[in-house]
Amino acid sequence: MTNPITVLIVDNEPGFADLVGEMLERQRDSIVAESATNAETALEAIEARSIDCVVSDYEMPKITGLELLERVRESDPDLPFILFTGRGSEEIASEAIAAGVTQYLQKESGKEQYALLANQITNAVAQYRTETELRESERRYERTLATLHETTRDLMRAGTKRDIYQSAVDTAGEILDVSVAVAYAFKPTEGTLEHAASTRESQELVDPKLSFEHGEGHIWDVFSEGESAYYEDVTRDPENAKTVSRNELIVPLGTHGVLVAGTEDDDGFDETMTELLHILAANTEAALDRAEREQLLREHDRTLTRQNEELTRLNHTNEIVREINHGVAQASTRTEIETHACERLADTERYRFAWIASSDDTPPEPTAWAGVDAAFIDRVREDGDHAPEIRLIRDTLEAEQVQVVRNVLEADGWDGRRKEALTYGYQTILAVPLVDSERRYGVLLVHVAGADSIGDSERAVLGELGETIGHAIRSVERTRAMVTDSRLELELACHDSRLLLNRLAERADGPVAIEGIIDRDDEVGVFVSTPRETDLTSLDQWASVETLSAVSEGDDEILFELTVTSSPFLDVLRTYDVQLRRATGEDGTTTLVLEVPQQVEPRSLVEAIRERYPETELEARRETTSTRTARQLDTHLEDRLTAKQFEALQVAHYSGFFEWPRESTGEDLADALEISPPTYHYHLRAAERKLVALAFDGESE
């Protein structure tokens, strides 16, 4: 049965007011009509009892219908008020609308007007009741929110996590009026969600011994994903055996656990209830964070014990590193070095697992791993450039310093690894660059249980391990190159106008060639031969050229030394340990002949050059053979000469000092190196003496 509608009919004609009421009641069974013959009586009736709608005449003694409307609006601005008058005019209608009348209806003869009036009353009262109910719902929501805020203060005053969990579920049960309210706390050491608190009403429905491990039920899914979820009629799913009620609203509490509200009602949870539980969960998470911080403060008196434990752990780490260094020293290949390092690190209680990514590939590819299944490695490979590990690897290689992700569960950009971190039991990741003085080989990633588990001392020790591994890889690759006669040569044609030799060729009437390169600490010296008529005087204005000087002049060509800070092309050669055997530029094209070490993947090298100079083509690829003694002599010579002696010998060779007649003098070369002639001759004579001793005696002085 619909709710009755009480209508007050106000008209100075008593008989007409009763007639209108009787006709309205005939039109609608829900209408209950009352009458009043003047405005004063009407106001008394409105004040004394509940009136749903007022239907008033316009012309009445003392107080008109519009004046009555004004008095009614003072007490109830929204009460439906219909002006039902026999005096109709546009002026009155306009005045009534301006005064806020709900409806305006002119009296006419016949019964049809009462049907129209009854319909207007019904619609106006329905809208009025809906709006009133909405306002009351908002007021209830505000009162509930105020209660929630008061509870939040209690949460922040709670002394322990257990008290916080209990206060949270009690509040959830009170403000939501649900049959089940329970909290589960995450135990990092066990990797499970365990019962933390529940309301008294929930005790018959919730088993306090119930816990959730990885992949068990909706509650674990919500916690691992970090996003709240509403599950309706979950008991119908036979695979979801671990449920607390028919309808479940589950909200994660950060890394602390989850808050669950359940009900058996068919209606489940509306938007208001969902929002309130989210607010409660956010406040609970903040309180748990605060409790954790206070707990850390209470543990301050145990600092000495923790430091002793860290020292013990550091000693253990040093022992592991010593064992790795011993194994690395005995390894004969890069694969053996990387595998041994990963296996020894993973074979400890300290570290969960370890793996190495090579910087030779784009993006960096895992090359060795231990302590983790291939599914994890495959996930990293599938994610490619989007993998957070790849970003970490690139940051580590760029900085050439150890990088640490202190907590995967909270770090920015690591949301996609939340499940893996919980599954494999790690939170801290240490990234160690594998580098030596000349090249970056990759990154060692060590995964550790617990958040922020790596101390500064342990970080430094593992950083030194990365340098040791880098030097070992460099050593085995150089050794392998020394005992191997075969060499791979790549011939490239670069049409890119940004390449230095192409820029120089634009100013020359003929070919331009690089005669030699001297790689100093902070700059690079490039010896370039050009046709004699070439004018390079304006090169000192180029941003890429630091200094320019003529070293020697022949009949047909002139030799210049250009000092440059570096260039993308030289950076690639240095990174891949590649030797430039020949470089000639003419007509916008530079032909490059590169000697590539065996350990370098030619495709990666070419792609690295194309990345910087897209207009580069591979013209030829060929195997060459050189004598072992020549390479041994080169290696021994570089090891025995000082940097100054080696540089003096290089400059003399590239500048034609040993030609006859000489193309340059010692004074010219001393000036190019910005040293005095006696100093230059001293270094050159020492280099020549060691070279001769090495050639005839097999060793230097």
Side-chain angles (χ1 to χ4, degrees), residues 169-233:
V169 297
D170 290 341
T171 303
E174 178 182 352
I175 64 176
L176 300 181
D177 191 23
V178 292
S179 57
V180 173
V182 57
Y184 292 93
F186 177 60
K187 303 297 182 182
T189 54
E190 293 84 4
T192 59
L193 289 168
E194 297 183 0
H195 178 274
S198 57
T199 59
R200 292 183 178 179
E201 294 78 9
S202 307
Q203 292 177 358
E204 295 182 359
L205 300 174
V206 176
D207 182 3
K209 297 181 180 180
L210 185 64
S211 64
F212 298 86
E213 297 181 354
H214 173 72
E216 286 190 333
H218 296 313
I219 291 178
W220 179 271
D221 292 340
V222 169
F223 173 67
S224 63
E225 294 289 347
E227 297 288 341
S228 63
Y230 172 57
Y231 297 97
E232 188 175 4
D233 206 3

Side-chain angles (χ1 to χ4, degrees), residues 405-411 414 417-418 421 426-429:
V405 180
R406 302 187 181 278
N407 190 350
V408 173
L409 299 178
E410 296 181 355
W414 288 84
R417 287 292 182 266
R418 184 182 181 90
Y426 69 88
Q427 284 180 264
T428 302
I429 302 178

Side-chain angles (χ1 to χ4, degrees), residues 71-83:
R71 299 281 292 276
V72 169
R73 287 287 180 261
E74 292 177 357
S75 58
D76 191 342
D78 300 312
L79 182 67
F81 193 105
I82 299 176
L83 193 64

Side-chain angles (χ1 to χ4, degrees), residues 10 26 33 67 99 118 128 148 173 198 240 298 428 474 503 669:
V10 186
R26 289 181 181 178
E67 292 172 339
Y128 172 70
L148 184 58
S198 57
N240 191 29
R298 288 192 295 268
T428 302
R474 172 72 170 174
R503 296 174 65 189
L669 302 182

